[in-house]
Amino acid sequence: MDLKKLVKSFLNGTSDIADNARLAEIERAMQFGPEEVIRIMNIDATAFNEFRAELLQVYGNAGIDTIAGQTWRYPNGARAVVRWNTLSPRVETYARERIGGLIQNITEETIGNVRNTIADGYALGRSRNRIATDLIGRLQDGKRVGGVIGISEQQRQWVGNMRAALMSDPIKALDYTKRDMRFDTVIKKAAKDGKPLSLAQIDRITAQYSDKLLKSRGLTIARTEAAKATEEGKYEAWKQALEKTG
């Protein structure tokens, strides 16, 4: 199992949504409310098709390896040829309900993040341009960094809390373990001098923090779901073998 490949496929899904969104279109859509923003951002489960395929492969490989690792016999002692059946109704159910359900939850949480980020942005008096950038991230070296696509609601709140700390008491931002430590010098200087950080500095620091949270979540999801898929694949392999051998 290639865990890095699984993480990358998850991050590719979040990037697909962010990279295909257009800042100007999001700003215009805000005039008509968050549902219009969600519509033009095209947030749906198909963005994670690569992740779906990779996770299903982990499940299938576990089944194939389990079957290949045993010598199967019928009750009379004769050798049985057992092959992994990808068309088993249980395999199809696993792909649809377990993997599909996971991706649907990620998608729905992302949609919730969009609604809440817009509401919070207006409450803080942020411009539409800055809110739009809060949603899909900031362009850095040709790619989007930060944003709320793919992070959990709790992580989204952590980003908001860090932003609040940077605005009111920058030194508190050093308590966030997933922060980008390259900004520590800037934060400490602002705290020492008693001068506020600029909005551009705060946006950049929180974007990098959000980006690290996304990568952390990708790794957590990959580890957890790969372990579950492996065990479920093994279990399904034994069921298929017992159905074949009686």
Side-chain angles (χ1 to χ4, degrees), residues 4 21-22 66 90 100 105 118 177 191 193 212 216 237 239 241:
K4 288 183 179 179
R22 297 294 179 264
T66 298
R90 289 188 303 268
N105 288 340
I118 292 172
T177 56
D193 296 345
K212 292 191 74 172
S216 175
K239 279 188 173 182

Side-chain angles (χ1 to χ4, degrees), residues 13-240:
T14 63
S15 294
D16 181 56
I17 295 172
D19 292 344
N20 280 292
R22 297 294 179 264
L23 207 62
E25 291 178 359
I26 293 173
E27 288 184 60
R28 285 195 296 270
M30 279 187 208
Q31 302 174 59
F32 306 102
E35 300 311 310
E36 180 62 12
V37 173
I38 291 165
R39 186 188 70 79
I40 63 99
M41 286 181 66
N42 295 296
I43 303 170
D44 64 63
T46 58
F48 296 97
N49 280 345
E50 181 187 352
F51 177 64
R52 185 196 308 271
E54 289 294 338
L55 194 53
L56 186 57
Q57 185 173 11
V58 171
Y59 172 77
N61 285 346
I64 291 169
D65 291 345
T66 298
I67 288 174
Q70 300 288 330
T71 299
W72 304 98
R73 297 188 181 280
Y74 292 108
N76 64 5
R79 188 176 70 87
V81 176
V82 179
R83 298 184 180 94
W84 174 255
N85 181 12
T86 59
L87 299 180
S88 164
R90 289 188 303 268
V91 173
E92 293 177 349
T93 298
Y94 181 85
R96 182 178 64 254
E97 294 184 1
R98 174 61 197 172
I99 300 178
L102 167 69
I103 291 173
Q104 189 59 39
N105 288 340
I106 293 170
T107 304
E108 290 175 359
E109 191 164 31
T110 294
I111 290 172
N113 285 346
V114 171
R115 292 193 184 103
N116 292 330
T117 299
I118 292 172
D120 290 351
Y122 280 139
L124 290 170
R126 290 175 68 75
S127 68
R128 285 177 180 165
N129 177 267
R130 288 191 180 277
I131 295 173
T133 309
D134 291 341
L135 294 176
I136 62 174
R138 285 149 182 80
L139 273 177
Q140 183 175 310
D141 299 326
K143 62 172 288 187
R144 292 281 174 188
V145 176
V148 298
I149 310 300
I151 63 174
S152 68
E153 166 58 18
Q154 184 179 58
Q155 289 175 324
R156 189 195 71 82
Q157 291 179 18
W158 290 343
V159 174
N161 292 341
M162 171 178 258
R163 180 182 296 282
L166 290 168
M167 293 176 69
S168 61
D169 190 1
I171 203 69
K172 289 183 178 179
L174 300 181
D175 293 335
Y176 291 80
T177 56
K178 294 292 184 184
R179 72 187 186 280
D180 189 328
M181 295 183 184
R182 293 177 298 176
F183 296 106
D184 284 5
T185 301
V186 174
I187 293 171
K188 289 176 182 178
K189 187 176 187 306
K192 181 180 178 181
D193 296 345
K195 294 181 179 180
L197 293 163
S198 69
L199 279 179
Q201 287 175 316
I202 292 172
D203 286 347
R204 188 177 180 194
I205 293 169
T206 53
Q208 292 291 343
Y209 176 55
S210 177
D211 198 56
K212 292 191 74 172
L213 289 177
L214 175 63
K215 290 174 181 175
S216 175
R217 190 188 192 200
L219 180 58
T220 298
I221 288 175
R223 282 175 173 165
T224 302
E225 297 305 322
K228 289 179 181 178
T230 298
E231 290 307 309
E232 289 290 340
K234 291 177 179 178
Y235 185 57
E236 173 60 22
W238 278 94
K239 279 188 173 182
Q240 291 186 15

